[in-house]
Amino acid sequence: MEINLKDRRALITGGSRGLGRAMAESFALAGANVVIVARESDVLDETCSSLAAIRPSGKFLGISADVSDMGEVERAHTEAASFFGPVDILVNNAGTSNAKPFLAVTAQDWLDDFNLKFFSAAHLCRLCIPDMRKQGWGRIINTLNSAAKAPSAASCPTSVARAAGMAMTKALASEFAADGVLVNALNTGFLVSHQWVTRWQKDHPDKTFEEFTETIGTKIPMGRMGEAQEFANLALFLASDAASYLTGASINIDGGLTPVV
């Protein structure tokens, strides 16, 4: 099956590293024009250069913004629309792991986590959906995690913010399906990304990164961590016409880790 995103316009938050970058590169290779949003300008520039090398005829832009700030979200959307027109494909991928024992989570922790992971996604959906409805075609992909379905102890505030994202996915899918706007979520497990590199450098400098990931992999039924490209492959399908009858799904991509379907 050939996936073609020719001339589609994709906006990806958290797009400069890890899963976001893998999606941006896959979308670009399939013919999409791509705007990536992240905070670090130098990393954004490097990723955009990579996208241009993949497809020199494409249009690619990096926007430095903190999407936990709703004013920054609006600015990023305005710049993206000015650059390439209405957004066809929105990928809400911003977020970091933030899990603590419940009594250690402060009011500010709750606010910060929901601003970054939930309210930024909700606001971008609100900004992008009107144009998607007008053209009768749109794709929204929300990056969540396994805790959205199966929260463990000491998993707040992330698990709750991600569960809210899953509920929003289903609500929007039901409301806008008739308009051709399809909304789905991908629930990550243990996928190799920049967050895991940071965790390795901080907590396990005595091991090589390969040794670290092999240890993590023993916790997963498939016996290994997933790769960012494996995640991007599924996102590419959801962003395409090949997924034309799929909406309101929250798909585990975790090597069998999540104990619920």
Side-chain angles (χ1 to χ4, degrees):
M1 178 175 62
E2 181 179 351
I3 299 294
N4 185 350
L5 298 183
K6 180 174 171 54
D7 297 328
R8 293 296 186 192
R9 299 172 293 259
L11 172 62
I12 304 173
T13 63
S16 63
R17 301 180 188 268
L19 304 182
R21 176 167 177 160
M23 286 187 282
E25 291 177 346
S26 294
F27 289 9
L29 192 60
N33 298 314
V34 183
V35 170
I36 55 175
V37 181
R39 286 177 292 186
E40 298 176 71
S41 298
D42 56 338
V43 183
L44 281 166
D45 291 343
E46 195 277 324
T47 301
C48 283
S49 295
S50 173
L51 298 177
I54 289 172
R55 203 174 99 254
S57 62
K59 296 181 68 176
F60 309 109
L61 176 68
I63 298 174
S64 178
D66 179 359
V67 297
S68 65
D69 181 324
M70 296 307 105
E72 290 281 275
V73 169
E74 292 192 15
R75 176 179 65 81
H77 175 262
T78 298
E79 289 187 23
S82 297
F83 176 69
F84 62 12
V87 174
D88 300 311
I89 301 164
L90 170 63
V91 182
N92 291 306
N93 181 63
T96 59
S97 177
N98 186 14
K100 304 177 183 180
F102 176 75
L103 295 179
V105 182
T106 67
Q108 191 63 48
D109 289 333
W110 284 109
L111 183 61
D112 291 345
D113 209 65
F114 266 77
N115 279 339
L116 177 61
K117 295 169 183 168
F118 178 76
F119 289 117
S120 65
H123 198 33
L124 276 170
C125 288
R126 188 175 65 82
L127 292 168
C128 293
I129 286 175
D131 286 325
M132 293 178 177
R133 294 180 80 185
K134 286 179 185 177
Q135 63 193 19
W137 197 99
R139 298 289 187 270
I140 297 173
I141 302 170
N142 295 319
T143 299
L144 308 177
N145 65 14
S146 59
K149 290 184 178 180
S152 62
S155 65
C156 295
T158 284
S159 60
V160 181
R162 293 310 194 190
M166 186 167 63
M168 181 176 69
T169 297
K170 190 64 176 178
L172 297 187
S174 299
E175 185 168 348
F176 298 108
D179 299 305
V181 180
L182 309 186
V183 188
N184 294 288
L186 292 177
N187 303 324
T188 67
F190 296 156
L191 301 173
V192 177
S193 65
H194 183 67
Q195 291 186 46
W196 284 100
V197 173
T198 300
R199 187 175 301 183
W200 161 64
Q201 292 172 334
K202 177 183 176 183
D203 298 334
H204 300 279
D206 55 315
K207 296 182 178 181
T208 66
F209 186 63
E210 290 72 21
E211 290 171 337
F212 171 66
T213 57
E214 285 177 4
T215 299
I216 299 297
T218 62
K219 304 175 183 179
I220 303 168
M222 285 188 69
R224 65 174 177 85
M225 294 184 71
E227 298 294 333
Q229 187 59 53
E230 293 176 301
F231 181 91
N233 293 341
L234 185 49
L236 180 63
F237 169 72
L238 292 177
S240 75
D241 286 324
S244 57
Y245 200 61
L246 178 57
T247 194
S250 187
I251 304 169
N252 301 335
I253 177 163
D254 60 3
L257 177 68
T258 307
V260 295
V261 295

